[in-house]
């Protein structure tokens, strides 16, 4: 009998080994991993450069706390904000923690409390992040939530303009809703957010926990829009599998996040920042990002050949793609794909989310599409 709480609906097999895009369960069965730990293992499993970074740092220092200066944090922060309009970083352990920090700094900086969020969004499962999440299934059963989150339809310009007022502290959104169905922000909606930001003191928080660190073909997804966020949250791919999260913020927020306003025991530990530094050195390389874009184009082309647009939908950007089965529930197909040797994850009830490592090969994409076609059609 298991001593674990049953808060996860686990699949009935255990993955025990992986290399690149391939993983293996306890019986030795091979799978192509198109979940990447839910967009986490951006460089695949057991990438040699990450293994080396962990080994080297583990022999020096694991943890010292944020009572002391951190050269590793300084280097990682500088690398992340280089050539961006953002100026400062704070490091924590997860995406939910990053979004909690973003919410706190937005409220404190503006002196206002109302934050506009969107239906089908997902920002985490702590109370603040859960309150910002626009999905009832995540919020249900936990009693009163953190107040003054205003939930609007995603990509509805009229609803957004009507909701903004003098009490609005921030607009918080994912540019592609990962858990909510791989729904991308429209150009019109992005422009509306930009215009509101330019004409008011309202901050824009972009949740890049899933879309960031090269997943959509650029360092961050916001770089493909007109939006210039005041705060960006990140996690998942930042550590390539090692737990680390954080926020990036613009210069005017510096004095707001002063000593004692926020903190974390483990956040930005030497082991985590050493791994993250190696991850972004590899992923933020221009040639690497161009390769992600090329593989995305190849993947989308192959999906469209296998799944005609009259019956199916293909959405997303980079290597964060969704396959909609014409309104059909996907849970049984995800299980059948497991059996066939392809690991995927649902994005809501109607979309199969495809999140291969950014290092996936065209041959592995071909194999994945063939499995998808066999199982679904």
């Amino acid at each position: 009998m298991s001593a674990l709480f049953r808060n996860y609906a686990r699949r009935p097999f255990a993955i025990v080994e992986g290399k690149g895009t391939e993983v293996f369960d306890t019986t030795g069965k091979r799978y192509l991993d198109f979940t990447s730990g839910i967009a986490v293992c951006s460089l695949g499993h057991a990438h040699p450069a990450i293994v080396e970074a962990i080994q080297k740092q583990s022999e020096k220092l694991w943890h010292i706390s944020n009572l002391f200066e951190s050269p590793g944090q300084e280097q990682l922060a500088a690398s992340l904000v280089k050539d961006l309009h953002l100026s400062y970083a704070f490091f924590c352990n997860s995406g939910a923690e990053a979004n909690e920090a973003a919410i706190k700094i937005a409220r404190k900086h503006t002196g206002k409390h109302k934050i506009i969020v969107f239906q089908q969004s997902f920002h985490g499962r702590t109370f603040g992040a859960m309150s910002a999440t626009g999905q009832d299934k995540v919020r249900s059963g936990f009693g009163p939530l953190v107040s003054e989150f205003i939930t609007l339809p995603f990509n509805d310009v009229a609803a957004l303009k009507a909701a903004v007022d003098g009490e609005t502290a921030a607009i918080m959104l994912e540019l592609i809703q990962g858990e909510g169905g791989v729904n991308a922000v429209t150009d019109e909606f992005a422009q509306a957010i930009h215009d509101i930001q330019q004409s008011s003191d309202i901050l824009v928080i972009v949740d890049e926990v899933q879309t960031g660190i090269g997943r959509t073909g650029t360092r961050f997804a916001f770089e493909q829009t007109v939006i210039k966020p005041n705060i960006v949250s990140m996690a998942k791919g930042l550590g390539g599998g090692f737990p680390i999260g954080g926020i990036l913020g613009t210069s005017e927020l510096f004095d707001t996040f002063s000593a004692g306003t926020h903190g974390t025991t483990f956040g930005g530990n030497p082991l985590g920042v050493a791994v993250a530094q190696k991850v972004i050195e590899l992923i933020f390389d221009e040639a690497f990002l161009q390769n992600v874009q090329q593989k995305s184009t190849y993947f989308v082309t192959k999906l469209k050949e296998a799944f005609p647009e009259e019956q199916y939908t293909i959405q997303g950007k980079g290597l964060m793609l969704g396959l909609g089965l014409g309104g059909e529930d996907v849970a049984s197909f995800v299980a059948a794909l497991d059996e066939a040797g392809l690991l995927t994850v649902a994005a809501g009830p109607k979309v199969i989310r495809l999140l291969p490592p950014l290092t996936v090969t065209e041959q592995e994409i071909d194999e994945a599409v063939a499995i998808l076609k066999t199982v679904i059609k």
Side-chain angles (χ1 to χ4, degrees):
M1 181 176 178
S2 174
L4 291 171
F5 279 114
R6 293 298 188 189
N7 56 308
Y8 298 111
R10 297 186 191 272
R11 301 182 190 184
F13 55 95
I15 302 299
V16 294
E17 187 177 352
K19 187 72 172 177
T21 307
E22 296 181 327
V23 294
F24 301 86
D25 68 15
T26 51
T27 70
K29 181 177 177 178
R30 170 188 174 271
Y31 305 82
L32 284 177
D33 184 7
F34 273 49
T35 71
S36 299
I38 316 182
V40 168
C41 299
S42 44
L43 293 169
H45 296 275
H47 190 286
I50 298 181
V51 172
E52 183 182 14
I54 291 174
Q55 289 175 338
K56 283 185 175 181
Q57 186 60 44
S58 71
E59 294 170 357
K60 295 178 182 178
L61 187 68
W62 291 33
H63 179 79
I64 195 65
S65 89
N66 287 297
L67 293 172
F68 306 96
E69 295 290 342
S70 174
Q73 286 189 31
E74 296 282 359
Q75 182 185 11
L76 180 58
S79 298
L80 285 164
V81 302
K82 184 181 179 182
D83 300 325
L84 295 176
H85 70 287
L86 302 156
S87 301
Y88 297 104
F90 161 79
F91 297 110
C92 52
N93 303 287
S94 70
E97 284 187 41
N99 284 326
E100 289 285 342
I103 291 165
K104 285 181 68 174
I105 197 171
R107 284 187 164 190
K108 190 172 192 297
H109 182 77
T110 62
K112 298 180 288 186
H113 303 143
K114 184 192 294 185
I115 296 178
I116 293 174
V117 295
F118 300 99
Q119 292 171 6
Q120 298 308 120
S121 61
F122 182 85
H123 298 293
R125 295 183 184 274
T126 53
F127 255 90
M130 178 174 64
S131 301
T133 292
Q135 299 189 50
D136 289 339
K137 68 177 183 180
V138 175
R139 299 171 168 181
S140 178
F142 294 102
L145 300 175
V146 178
S147 63
E148 299 194 70
F149 285 94
I150 310 302
T151 306
L152 303 178
F154 190 48
N155 283 326
D156 188 328
V157 173
L160 175 62
K161 290 181 176 179
V164 168
D165 60 27
E167 298 304 312
T168 304
I171 300 167
M172 183 176 188
L173 76 158
E174 303 157 276
L175 297 177
I176 303 175
Q177 295 182 326
E179 299 289 332
V182 197
N183 309 310
V185 69
T186 63
D187 292 342
E188 181 187 18
F189 199 62
Q191 186 66 55
I193 291 171
H194 172 76
D195 293 345
I196 290 168
Q197 181 187 29
Q198 294 299 304
S199 62
S200 68
D201 62 351
I202 294 171
L203 302 182
V204 174
I205 304 168
V206 172
D207 180 339
E208 294 258 16
V209 169
Q210 191 163 155
T211 55
I213 319 298
R215 175 56 58 181
T216 65
T218 50
R219 292 172 297 179
F220 295 96
F222 76 79
E223 295 178 279
Q224 300 177 48
T225 75
V226 298
I227 296 174
K228 298 288 186 184
N230 304 91
I231 305 170
V232 171
S233 59
M234 56 190 173
K236 289 190 179 288
L238 179 60
F242 194 94
I244 183 171
I247 62 169
L248 304 178
T250 49
S251 59
E252 71 265 26
L253 302 175
F254 180 78
D255 290 336
T256 301
F257 231 36
S258 56
T261 55
H262 195 58
T264 165
T265 297
F266 297 105
N269 63 76
L271 200 52
V273 295
V275 173
Q277 183 65 44
K278 179 55 65 176
V279 168
I280 66 167
E281 283 176 5
L282 295 172
I283 292 178
F284 282 12
D285 177 74
E286 185 176 345
F288 184 96
L289 291 170
Q290 287 177 349
N291 190 246
V292 172
Q293 294 169 23
Q294 290 165 2
K295 284 185 282 195
S296 174
T297 299
Y298 183 83
F299 197 0
V300 170
T301 299
K302 292 296 181 180
L303 285 171
K304 286 183 175 179
E305 290 174 357
F307 299 98
E309 292 181 270
E310 304 81 46
Q311 187 175 354
Y312 304 94
T313 58
I314 298 162
Q315 54 225 50
K317 292 183 179 180
L319 292 175
M320 182 179 176
L321 300 176
L323 175 62
L325 308 187
E328 195 168 350
D329 284 349
V330 300
S332 63
F333 290 102
V334 170
L337 289 166
D338 286 349
E339 185 66 26
L342 177 66
L343 303 182
T344 61
V345 61
K350 308 295 184 183
V351 176
I352 295 173
R353 201 172 358 161
L354 302 167
L355 301 164
L358 305 183
T359 52
V360 67
T361 66
E362 289 187 356
Q363 181 179 356
E364 289 167 338
I365 290 172
D366 289 342
E367 184 180 353
V369 172
I371 295 172
L372 284 163
K373 187 174 180 180
T374 299
V375 169
I376 293 171
K377 302 187 77 172

